[in-house]
PDB file of all heavy atoms in Angstrom:
ATOM      1  N   LEU M  78      48.217 -18.014 -13.038  1.00 78.00           N
ATOM      2  CA  LEU M  78      49.536 -17.943 -12.382  1.00 78.00           C
ATOM      3  C   LEU M  78      49.373 -17.969 -10.864  1.00 78.00           C
ATOM      4  O   LEU M  78      50.164 -18.589 -10.150  1.00 78.00           O
ATOM      5  CB  LEU M  78      50.265 -16.671 -12.816  1.00 78.00           C
ATOM      6  CG  LEU M  78      51.732 -16.530 -12.373  1.00 78.00           C
ATOM      7  CD1 LEU M  78      52.573 -17.651 -12.945  1.00 78.00           C
ATOM      8  CD2 LEU M  78      52.274 -15.170 -12.797  1.00 78.00           C
ATOM      9  N   ASN M  79      48.345 -17.313 -10.361  1.00 77.00           N
ATOM     10  CA  ASN M  79      48.081 -17.288  -8.929  1.00 77.00           C
ATOM     11  C   ASN M  79      47.781 -18.686  -8.394  1.00 77.00           C
ATOM     12  O   ASN M  79      48.124 -19.020  -7.255  1.00 77.00           O
ATOM     13  CB  ASN M  79      46.902 -16.348  -8.644  1.00 77.00           C
ATOM     14  CG  ASN M  79      46.568 -16.277  -7.173  1.00 77.00           C
ATOM     15  OD1 ASN M  79      47.397 -15.954  -6.339  1.00 77.00           O
ATOM     16  ND2 ASN M  79      45.317 -16.612  -6.844  1.00 77.00           N
ATOM     17  N   GLU M  80      47.135 -19.512  -9.234  1.00 79.00           N
ATOM     18  CA  GLU M  80      46.800 -20.870  -8.818  1.00 79.00           C
ATOM     19  C   GLU M  80      48.011 -21.793  -8.826  1.00 79.00           C
ATOM     20  O   GLU M  80      48.058 -22.797  -8.107  1.00 79.00           O
ATOM     21  CB  GLU M  80      45.706 -21.430  -9.729  1.00 79.00           C
ATOM     22  CG  GLU M  80      44.375 -20.678  -9.617  1.00 79.00           C
ATOM     23  CD  GLU M  80      43.386 -21.112 -10.682  1.00 79.00           C
ATOM     24  OE1 GLU M  80      43.798 -21.897 -11.581  1.00 79.00           O
ATOM     25  OE2 GLU M  80      42.218 -20.666 -10.626  1.00 79.00           O
ATOM     26  N   VAL M  81      49.005 -21.446  -9.644  1.00 79.00           N
ATOM     27  CA  VAL M  81      50.186 -22.301  -9.791  1.00 79.00           C
ATOM     28  C   VAL M  81      51.297 -21.923  -8.819  1.00 79.00           C
ATOM     29  O   VAL M  81      51.907 -22.771  -8.166  1.00 79.00           O
ATOM     30  CB  VAL M  81      50.715 -22.248 -11.247  1.00 79.00           C
ATOM     31  CG1 VAL M  81      52.020 -23.030 -11.371  1.00 79.00           C
ATOM     32  CG2 VAL M  81      49.671 -22.802 -12.200  1.00 79.00           C
ATOM     33  N   VAL M  82      51.575 -20.610  -8.722  1.00 77.00           N
ATOM     34  CA  VAL M  82      52.701 -20.128  -7.913  1.00 77.00           C
ATOM     35  C   VAL M  82      52.269 -19.955  -6.460  1.00 77.00           C
ATOM     36  O   VAL M  82      51.293 -19.260  -6.168  1.00 77.00           O
ATOM     37  CB  VAL M  82      53.233 -18.793  -8.471  1.00 77.00           C
ATOM     38  CG1 VAL M  82      54.383 -18.291  -7.614  1.00 77.00           C
ATOM     39  CG2 VAL M  82      53.673 -18.966  -9.917  1.00 77.00           C
ATOM     40  N   GLU M  83      53.000 -20.553  -5.560  1.00 75.00           N
ATOM     41  CA  GLU M  83      52.684 -20.468  -4.137  1.00 75.00           C
ATOM     42  C   GLU M  83      52.959 -19.057  -3.613  1.00 75.00           C
ATOM     43  O   GLU M  83      53.969 -18.432  -3.947  1.00 75.00           O
ATOM     44  CB  GLU M  83      53.527 -21.486  -3.365  1.00 75.00           C
ATOM     45  CG  GLU M  83      53.161 -21.575  -1.891  1.00 75.00           C
ATOM     46  CD  GLU M  83      53.987 -22.640  -1.177  1.00 75.00           C
ATOM     47  OE1 GLU M  83      54.849 -23.275  -1.834  1.00 75.00           O
ATOM     48  OE2 GLU M  83      53.769 -22.821   0.023  1.00 75.00           O
ATOM     49  N   ASN M  84      52.060 -18.545  -2.821  1.00 75.00           N
ATOM     50  CA  ASN M  84      52.168 -17.219  -2.188  1.00 75.00           C
ATOM     51  C   ASN M  84      52.221 -16.076  -3.213  1.00 75.00           C
ATOM     52  O   ASN M  84      52.687 -14.981  -2.895  1.00 75.00           O
ATOM     53  CB  ASN M  84      53.407 -17.134  -1.287  1.00 75.00           C
ATOM     54  CG  ASN M  84      53.362 -18.124  -0.147  1.00 75.00           C
ATOM     55  OD1 ASN M  84      52.291 -18.391   0.395  1.00 75.00           O
ATOM     56  ND2 ASN M  84      54.502 -18.673   0.216  1.00 75.00           N
ATOM     57  N   PHE M  85      51.763 -16.348  -4.429  1.00 73.00           N
ATOM     58  CA  PHE M  85      51.754 -15.300  -5.452  1.00 73.00           C
ATOM     59  C   PHE M  85      50.865 -14.131  -5.034  1.00 73.00           C
ATOM     60  O   PHE M  85      51.220 -12.969  -5.235  1.00 73.00           O
ATOM     61  CB  PHE M  85      51.261 -15.889  -6.780  1.00 73.00           C
ATOM     62  CG  PHE M  85      51.061 -14.865  -7.869  1.00 73.00           C
ATOM     63  CD1 PHE M  85      52.142 -14.401  -8.606  1.00 73.00           C
ATOM     64  CD2 PHE M  85      49.799 -14.350  -8.139  1.00 73.00           C
ATOM     65  CE1 PHE M  85      51.961 -13.455  -9.606  1.00 73.00           C
ATOM     66  CE2 PHE M  85      49.610 -13.404  -9.138  1.00 73.00           C
ATOM     67  CZ  PHE M  85      50.696 -12.959  -9.867  1.00 73.00           C
ATOM     68  N   HIS M  86      49.726 -14.455  -4.444  1.00 69.00           N
ATOM     69  CA  HIS M  86      48.752 -13.436  -4.043  1.00 69.00           C
ATOM     70  C   HIS M  86      49.370 -12.449  -3.052  1.00 69.00           C
ATOM     71  O   HIS M  86      49.329 -11.232  -3.242  1.00 69.00           O
ATOM     72  CB  HIS M  86      47.532 -14.132  -3.414  1.00 69.00           C
ATOM     73  CG  HIS M  86      46.360 -13.234  -3.203  1.00 69.00           C
ATOM     74  ND1 HIS M  86      45.378 -13.067  -4.151  1.00 69.00           N
ATOM     75  CD2 HIS M  86      46.017 -12.435  -2.169  1.00 69.00           C
ATOM     76  CE1 HIS M  86      44.469 -12.224  -3.698  1.00 69.00           C
ATOM     77  NE2 HIS M  86      44.833 -11.830  -2.490  1.00 69.00           N
ATOM     78  N   GLU M  87      49.960 -12.980  -1.973  1.00 74.00           N
ATOM     79  CA  GLU M  87      50.546 -12.125  -0.938  1.00 74.00           C
ATOM     80  C   GLU M  87      51.724 -11.323  -1.480  1.00 74.00           C
ATOM     81  O   GLU M  87      51.898 -10.139  -1.157  1.00 74.00           O
ATOM     82  CB  GLU M  87      50.997 -12.975   0.251  1.00 74.00           C
ATOM     83  CG  GLU M  87      49.865 -13.620   1.035  1.00 74.00           C
ATOM     84  CD  GLU M  87      49.270 -14.828   0.339  1.00 74.00           C
ATOM     85  OE1 GLU M  87      49.865 -15.280  -0.685  1.00 74.00           O
ATOM     86  OE2 GLU M  87      48.216 -15.321   0.785  1.00 74.00           O
ATOM     87  N   MET M  88      52.558 -11.976  -2.308  1.00 74.00           N
ATOM     88  CA  MET M  88      53.715 -11.294  -2.874  1.00 74.00           C
ATOM     89  C   MET M  88      53.282 -10.137  -3.780  1.00 74.00           C
ATOM     90  O   MET M  88      53.847  -9.041  -3.721  1.00 74.00           O
ATOM     91  CB  MET M  88      54.557 -12.280  -3.679  1.00 74.00           C
ATOM     92  CG  MET M  88      55.765 -11.654  -4.376  1.00 74.00           C
ATOM     93  SD  MET M  88      56.558 -12.788  -5.525  1.00 74.00           S
ATOM     94  CE  MET M  88      55.306 -12.855  -6.821  1.00 74.00           C
ATOM     95  N   HIS M  89      52.245 -10.363  -4.586  1.00 70.00           N
ATOM     96  CA  HIS M  89      51.788  -9.344  -5.517  1.00 70.00           C
ATOM     97  C   HIS M  89      51.229  -8.143  -4.766  1.00 70.00           C
ATOM     98  O   HIS M  89      51.484  -6.989  -5.122  1.00 70.00           O
ATOM     99  CB  HIS M  89      50.727  -9.942  -6.440  1.00 70.00           C
ATOM    100  CG  HIS M  89      50.667  -9.272  -7.771  1.00 70.00           C
ATOM    101  ND1 HIS M  89      50.138  -9.863  -8.886  1.00 70.00           N
ATOM    102  CD2 HIS M  89      51.078  -8.041  -8.180  1.00 70.00           C
ATOM    103  CE1 HIS M  89      50.201  -9.035  -9.908  1.00 70.00           C
ATOM    104  NE2 HIS M  89      50.775  -7.926  -9.505  1.00 70.00           N
ATOM    105  N   ILE M  90      50.455  -8.406  -3.715  1.00 68.00           N
ATOM    106  CA  ILE M  90      49.922  -7.314  -2.906  1.00 68.00           C
ATOM    107  C   ILE M  90      51.048  -6.492  -2.307  1.00 68.00           C
ATOM    108  O   ILE M  90      51.031  -5.253  -2.308  1.00 68.00           O
ATOM    109  CB  ILE M  90      49.007  -7.865  -1.787  1.00 68.00           C
ATOM    110  CG1 ILE M  90      47.695  -8.400  -2.377  1.00 68.00           C
ATOM    111  CG2 ILE M  90      48.693  -6.771  -0.757  1.00 68.00           C
ATOM    112  CD1 ILE M  90      46.760  -8.992  -1.350  1.00 68.00           C
ATOM    113  N   HIS M  91      52.055  -7.177  -1.792  1.00 70.00           N
ATOM    114  CA  HIS M  91      53.176  -6.479  -1.155  1.00 70.00           C
ATOM    115  C   HIS M  91      53.917  -5.600  -2.157  1.00 70.00           C
ATOM    116  O   HIS M  91      54.234  -4.433  -1.868  1.00 70.00           O
ATOM    117  CB  HIS M  91      54.131  -7.504  -0.546  1.00 70.00           C
ATOM    118  CG  HIS M  91      55.298  -6.888   0.162  1.00 70.00           C
ATOM    119  ND1 HIS M  91      55.166  -6.162   1.328  1.00 70.00           N
ATOM    120  CD2 HIS M  91      56.626  -6.876  -0.143  1.00 70.00           C
ATOM    121  CE1 HIS M  91      56.358  -5.730   1.712  1.00 70.00           C
ATOM    122  NE2 HIS M  91      57.265  -6.151   0.845  1.00 70.00           N
ATOM    123  N   VAL M  92      54.174  -6.123  -3.336  1.00 67.00           N
ATOM    124  CA  VAL M  92      54.907  -5.365  -4.356  1.00 67.00           C
ATOM    125  C   VAL M  92      54.114  -4.144  -4.805  1.00 67.00           C
ATOM    126  O   VAL M  92      54.652  -3.036  -4.940  1.00 67.00           O
ATOM    127  CB  VAL M  92      55.234  -6.267  -5.561  1.00 67.00           C
ATOM    128  CG1 VAL M  92      55.802  -5.442  -6.708  1.00 67.00           C
ATOM    129  CG2 VAL M  92      56.228  -7.350  -5.163  1.00 67.00           C
ATOM    130  N   ILE M  93      52.817  -4.337  -5.038  1.00 65.00           N
ATOM    131  CA  ILE M  93      51.982  -3.218  -5.498  1.00 65.00           C
ATOM    132  C   ILE M  93      51.901  -2.127  -4.434  1.00 65.00           C
ATOM    133  O   ILE M  93      51.998  -0.934  -4.728  1.00 65.00           O
ATOM    134  CB  ILE M  93      50.570  -3.719  -5.865  1.00 65.00           C
ATOM    135  CG1 ILE M  93      50.636  -4.567  -7.133  1.00 65.00           C
ATOM    136  CG2 ILE M  93      49.619  -2.548  -6.084  1.00 65.00           C
ATOM    137  CD1 ILE M  93      49.332  -5.212  -7.507  1.00 65.00           C
ATOM    138  N   LYS M  94      51.769  -2.529  -3.177  1.00 62.00           N
ATOM    139  CA  LYS M  94      51.659  -1.528  -2.113  1.00 62.00           C
ATOM    140  C   LYS M  94      52.963  -0.773  -1.904  1.00 62.00           C
ATOM    141  O   LYS M  94      52.954   0.395  -1.502  1.00 62.00           O
ATOM    142  CB  LYS M  94      51.217  -2.207  -0.807  1.00 62.00           C
ATOM    143  CG  LYS M  94      49.722  -2.518  -0.786  1.00 62.00           C
ATOM    144  CD  LYS M  94      49.246  -2.862   0.597  1.00 62.00           C
ATOM    145  CE  LYS M  94      47.733  -2.944   0.632  1.00 62.00           C
ATOM    146  NZ  LYS M  94      47.226  -3.226   1.984  1.00 62.00           N
ATOM    147  N   LEU M  95      54.075  -1.437  -2.177  1.00 61.00           N
ATOM    148  CA  LEU M  95      55.357  -0.726  -2.099  1.00 61.00           C
ATOM    149  C   LEU M  95      55.401   0.377  -3.141  1.00 61.00           C
ATOM    150  O   LEU M  95      55.986   1.443  -2.917  1.00 61.00           O
ATOM    151  CB  LEU M  95      56.519  -1.699  -2.314  1.00 61.00           C
ATOM    152  CG  LEU M  95      56.865  -2.630  -1.158  1.00 61.00           C
ATOM    153  CD1 LEU M  95      57.969  -3.589  -1.561  1.00 61.00           C
ATOM    154  CD2 LEU M  95      57.273  -1.834   0.074  1.00 61.00           C
TER     155      LEU M  95
END
Side-chain angles (χ1 to χ4, degrees):
L78 188 61
N79 180 56
E80 295 171 353
V81 175
V82 179
E83 186 178 1
N84 298 324
F85 173 81
H86 191 91
E87 292 77 10
M88 177 190 70
H89 208 158
I90 289 178
H91 181 68
V92 171
I93 290 175
K94 282 194 171 182
L95 285 176

